Amino acid sequence: MILEGKPVAEKILAEVKEGVKKLGFSPGLAIVRVGEDPASKIYVGTKLKRAKEAGIKGVEYHLKDSSTEDELIELVHKLNNDPEVHGMIVQLPLPKHINAEKVLERIDPEKDVDGLHPESLGRLVAGEPTFVPATPQGIMELLKFYEIDPNETESVVVGRSNMVGKPMAALLLNANSTVEICHSRTKDLGSHTKRAEILVVAVGKPHLITEEMVREGAAVIDVGINRVEGKVIGDVDTAAVEKKARVSPVPGGVGKLTVACLMKNVLKAAEKH
C-alpha cells in the first residue's frame, strides 16, 4: 500500500485556510534566503505559493551570497521586532561562512515556525511542544490520516538530524511508541529496522532500505530526497518494499506535508499573537 501525501496535505491546508478566515487578518510569514542555492529557491517559491493559497502573507527577504553573518543576524532581529511578522524562517542551508546554529538561536521562539530554535526542540523533548519541525509533524499527520496508531508500537528512526530524526523520535515517544534511533553509521542496520512497526528513514542515501530490512506489514515513511541520473528517489526501495509494507513514495509523500504543516505553524503563531 502506498501512503500518498497529497490528500493529507490538502486536508491540512484546507484547515489552515479556514483558521485564517476565523482570525480576521492575514498572518505574516517572513522567509529569509541567503545566496543562490537552486533547491532553496524552489523550496521558498513553493512555500510562498502555499502561503498565498491559505491566506497567509508571505514575504521573501533575499540576501546576497556575500552577505555576512552579522548582516543576516541584523535582519533576523529586525523581523523579530516587526509586529506584522508572526512567523519567520531562515532557509537552510546557509553559505559556509555563516554559522547556522548561531543564526537560528537569534530567532524569537514565538516566531520560530520551523521549530529549530533550541527552546522549541527542548520543549518538544520535554513533552510540551510549541512549534514542531514541519517534516516530523507532517509524518504524524500522515500516520493519523491512514489510521496508523503509534501507541504501544515499536518504532525505528534512521537519521539523527535536528530537523527530522531527533524531533521525529521525540514525537513518537510522546505518542507512547518504543523508539530506537539509528543512523548512517549503525552496524547491521537491517537487524534494527526489521523489528520496526513504524520505520522512518531520513539519511539521504538512495535505496538504503531494501525489502529484507523491513518487517511484514510495517509503515515505512521515506523522508530521503536523492537525485540519481536525473530522477528523484528516496532512501527506501519503494517498488520492492511495497510488496510487504505500507510505504510513503518519493516524490509524492512527506514532501507535500512539510509545507502544509509549516503553514499550520504560521497559523498557530498568529493565533498566539
Side-chain angles (χ1 to χ4, degrees):
M1 176 184 178
I2 296 295
L3 304 173
E4 295 284 353
K6 184 177 179 180
V8 193
E10 288 176 345
K11 178 177 180 291
I12 296 168
L13 286 168
E15 291 170 352
V16 171
K17 190 173 183 178
E18 187 62 32
V20 169
K21 286 181 181 178
K22 290 180 181 179
L23 271 181
F25 64 90
S26 294
L29 169 63
I31 305 179
V32 180
R33 179 167 64 92
V34 184
E36 300 299 337
D37 180 77
S40 290
K41 188 174 182 179
I42 293 171
Y43 293 150
V44 170
T46 301
K47 291 170 184 176
L48 292 172
K49 183 179 179 182
R50 293 291 173 265
K52 185 178 181 179
E53 291 171 354
I56 293 169
K57 184 181 178 182
V59 178
E60 179 184 9
Y61 295 82
H62 183 210
L63 298 180
K64 293 180 180 179
D65 201 17
S66 58
S67 298
T68 66
E69 187 176 286
D70 287 341
E71 287 173 332
L72 176 53
I73 289 174
E74 183 180 347
L75 175 57
V76 168
H77 282 309
K78 178 184 175 183
L79 296 172
N80 280 339
N81 294 318
D82 187 341
E84 298 298 314
V85 174
H86 302 95
M88 186 197 320
I89 298 166
V90 175
Q91 183 67 39
L92 301 177
L94 292 172
K96 292 181 179 180
H97 65 278
I98 296 177
N99 185 322
E101 286 74 21
K102 185 177 178 181
V103 173
L104 293 175
E105 286 177 2
R106 303 301 178 94
I107 296 174
D108 182 348
E110 295 295 317
K111 298 187 178 187
D112 176 38
V113 291
D114 251 350
L116 297 178
H117 189 283
E119 181 176 318
S120 302
L121 293 170
R123 286 184 176 277
L124 173 58
V125 171
E128 300 175 356
T130 48
F131 295 111
V132 177
T135 299
Q137 185 181 165
I139 292 170
M140 296 303 288
E141 293 281 359
L142 185 77
L143 295 175
K144 181 180 178 181
F145 184 87
Y146 288 103
E147 299 181 345
I148 300 167
D149 187 0
N151 185 51
E152 297 183 359
T153 62
E154 187 169 358
S155 298
V156 174
V157 178
V158 185
R160 51 182 169 177
S161 71
N162 288 341
M163 191 174 289
V164 181
K166 292 174 184 176
M168 187 72 248
L171 284 170
L172 287 167
L173 187 62
N174 292 345
N176 299 319
S177 181
T178 299
V179 184
E180 180 180 5
I181 302 179
C182 300
H183 45 80
S184 58
R185 297 189 182 183
T186 298
K187 293 180 179 180
D188 191 13
L189 181 61
S191 66
H192 301 271
T193 59
K194 62 187 177 185
R195 294 203 304 266
E197 294 165 82
I198 297 174
L199 174 61
V200 180
V201 191
V203 290
K205 288 195 172 184
H207 290 179
L208 173 67
I209 303 299
T210 56
E211 182 182 357
E212 62 271 15
M213 297 171 70
V214 174
R215 176 174 177 164
E216 187 80 36
V220 182
I221 314 300
D222 191 352
V223 188
I225 299 289
N226 309 284
R227 287 171 175 82
V228 179
E229 297 179 354
K231 294 183 178 180
V232 176
I233 63 174
D235 291 352
V236 177
D237 185 353
T238 305
V241 169
E242 70 170 315
K243 298 173 184 176
K244 64 188 297 188
R246 296 161 289 179
V247 58
S248 68
V250 175
V254 173
K256 293 183 178 296
L257 295 168
T258 297
V259 179
C261 286
L262 176 62
M263 298 308 138
K264 188 174 181 178
N265 278 350
V266 176
L267 173 61
K268 183 177 180 180
E271 289 173 337
K272 289 175 70 176
H273 174 80

